[in-house]
Amino acid sequence: MSKQKKHKSGFVNIIGNPNVGKSTFLNAVVGEELAITTPKAQTTRHRILGIVNSDDYQVVFSDTPGIIKPAYEMQEAMMDFVKESFEDADILLYMIEAGEKELKNEKFFLKLKNATIPVFLLINKVDKINQEKLEKIIEYWREKLPNAKLFPISALHKFGIEQVFNEILENLPEGPAYFEKDQLTDKTERFIVNEKIREKILKHYKKEIPYSVEVDTEDFKDEGNRIKIRSIIYVERDSQKGIIIGHKGSGLKTIGSEARKDLEKFFGKKIYLELYVKVNKDWRKKDAQLRRFGYKN
Ligand code: GDP
Ligand code: MG
């Protein structure tokens, strides 16, 4: 028998409640700021793949929106992304944050308990608690999810990530690569731009504003030494347009300059970013608009 290593590949899907650190973990394990992260719940609206490649393996991570009870159509579409990620997983990473008790959605929790694939329970944000508290948490979850392997981690401080990754490699099935070996994500450059702009809006605005916003990049031109981008921020109502733009355009200016800096780091090039705000009445409730923004097929 040949001793040659067989190629391994598979889908590793990250699920859990909103705000526990799923996107932070994805970025840490992939080593790129692929998914936006903010202190606000429901930052992630889509399923985002982050791919880690080597000659011997391809691990396809998938970040998902946090599990919630959907209140409107866009959120229903968001939960469809979570359902999908149960279905095609080779390994499930269920993330909780230290202190949190079980899923807000019982159905998902039962699915997790009865999963026939490996389930890793990632206890995140352990930087915020002491050893004693951690031991209690571990005890609790051991009982609650006896089939899961437990990993205390801190995604933000990149603590424990390597152990998780090594265990993933151990459990990954043999198989061919699903994507090109130089591919980092399934998302387009335009998507990355949209999300980065949305991250800044989530950061700087309160209440309904962040949730009423969608971004569409109409133009992305790589000119070699710089990238020229034109993006539109869509809001649901006229009043929101003025709020986003701010006094003498100060709001828009802040979003633009912060997003530009991050995008320059991500793409490794100078960025020229033009931003506009437009009203798209009640887009979150309209099928055609949800399709346009990639929430539905
Ligand atoms: P998601 O909604 O599950 O994707 O959560 P995010 O990745 O967007 O993170 C939510 C918030 O938790 C952000 O403010 C992160 O900076 C923070 N966070 C993520 N991981 C950690 C961690 O290990 N420790 C601490 N203290 N904060 C974290
Ligand atoms: Mg997220």
Side-chain angles (χ1 to χ4, degrees):
M1 232 169 72
S2 142
K3 279 243 169 93
Q4 207 186 338
K5 261 203 251 169
K6 294 240 173 73
H7 189 272
K8 288 181 157 192
S9 64
F11 284 86
V12 179
N13 300 345
I14 313 161
I15 54 168
N17 283 344
N19 226 25
V20 295
K22 298 179 296 298
S23 300
T24 307
F25 175 82
L26 178 85
N27 293 341
V29 78
V30 173
E32 292 277 352
E33 298 296 308
L34 270 183
I36 60 168
T37 65
T38 81
K40 293 199 173 83
Q42 295 178 51
T43 296
T44 308
R45 292 177 178 173
H46 296 264
R47 191 174 173 189
I48 301 166
L49 303 188
I51 307 166
V52 181
N53 292 298
S54 91
D55 289 343
D56 305 328
Y57 58 77
Q58 179 170 72
V59 190
V60 185
F61 288 93
S62 112
D63 186 19
T64 56
I67 295 165
I68 47 168
K69 286 209 175 79
Y72 45 88
E73 265 206 54
M74 186 189 80
Q75 293 187 334
E76 270 168 36
M78 282 163 59
M79 288 311 97
D80 287 341
F81 292 135
V82 180
K83 270 183 224 150
E84 266 173 43
S85 79
F86 259 104
E87 279 153 23
D88 62 17
D90 293 296
I91 299 171
L92 273 175
L93 306 185
Y94 176 44
M95 181 174 284
I96 59 152
E97 66 179 297
E100 163 201 336
K101 299 245 166 97
E102 74 201 76
L103 282 171
K104 291 191 176 99
N105 188 321
E106 271 302 316
K107 252 204 231 147
F108 279 118
F109 190 72
L110 267 179
K111 267 185 140 174
L112 194 69
K113 234 178 137 166
N114 299 324
T116 51
I117 52 171
V119 175
F120 296 1
L121 181 82
L122 309 189
I123 303 167
N124 191 30
K125 308 196 188 181
V126 295
D127 54 286
K128 287 167 84 172
I129 54 164
N130 60 26
Q131 188 64 29
E132 195 187 344
K133 183 110 188 276
L134 177 61
E135 273 157 26
K136 282 216 180 94
I137 293 170
I138 290 175
E139 204 179 316
Y140 174 85
W141 284 101
R142 254 207 193 114
E143 200 171 308
K144 194 91 190 161
L145 263 190
N147 58 336
K149 273 204 177 92
L150 270 55
F151 297 87
I153 66 164
S154 170
L156 190 64
H157 299 287
K158 301 191 167 59
F159 165 81
I161 309 294
E162 215 181 305
Q163 282 88 327
V164 177
F165 189 74
N166 290 338
E167 194 64 26
I168 286 168
L169 287 185
E170 283 295 311
N171 284 272
L172 209 61
E174 280 173 13
Y178 295 99
F179 297 90
E180 294 296 328
K181 280 289 177 87
D182 58 1
Q183 200 174 332
L184 174 71
T185 179
D186 64 323
K187 292 286 179 272
T188 60
E189 293 157 327
R190 285 172 199 238
F191 178 86
I192 303 278
V193 173
N194 296 344
E195 288 288 274
K196 193 42 84 178
I197 293 166
R198 211 163 56 76
E199 180 185 77
K200 301 311 173 194
I201 295 167
L202 278 154
K203 181 177 161 195
H204 290 287
Y205 295 89
K206 290 196 200 95
K207 295 188 186 151
E208 261 310 280
I209 295 279
Y211 303 102
S212 310
V213 158
E214 185 60 60
V215 182
D216 184 30
T217 294
E218 292 189 341
D219 220 6
F220 184 101
K221 235 187 254 125
D222 194 334
E223 295 177 335
N225 54 347
R226 73 164 184 177
I227 304 171
K228 239 177 122 178
I229 300 169
R230 188 179 61 244
S231 306
I232 315 296
I233 298 169
Y234 287 101
V235 291
E236 289 192 306
R237 290 190 300 274
D238 289 316
S239 58
Q240 295 168 336
K241 182 173 166 176
I243 296 173
I244 295 270
I245 293 171
H247 183 60
K248 290 184 176 162
S250 60
L252 206 55
K253 212 180 260 169
T254 303
I255 298 166
S257 76
E258 288 187 13
R260 184 174 49 75
K261 274 186 206 135
D262 286 3
L263 290 170
E264 287 185 340
K265 227 196 271 164
F266 185 85
F267 290 110
K269 286 184 186 186
K270 273 253 162 285
I271 303 278
Y272 176 78
L273 176 62
E274 260 178 71
L275 272 184
Y276 300 93
V277 186
K278 288 185 186 170
V279 179
N280 184 347
K281 279 223 158 49
D282 296 324
W283 67 266
R284 274 189 294 178
K285 296 186 198 107
K286 288 179 181 159
D287 248 29
Q289 295 305 317
L290 289 171
R291 262 194 284 279
R292 171 176 174 202
F293 294 132
Y295 295 102
K296 286 185 164 184
N297 291 323

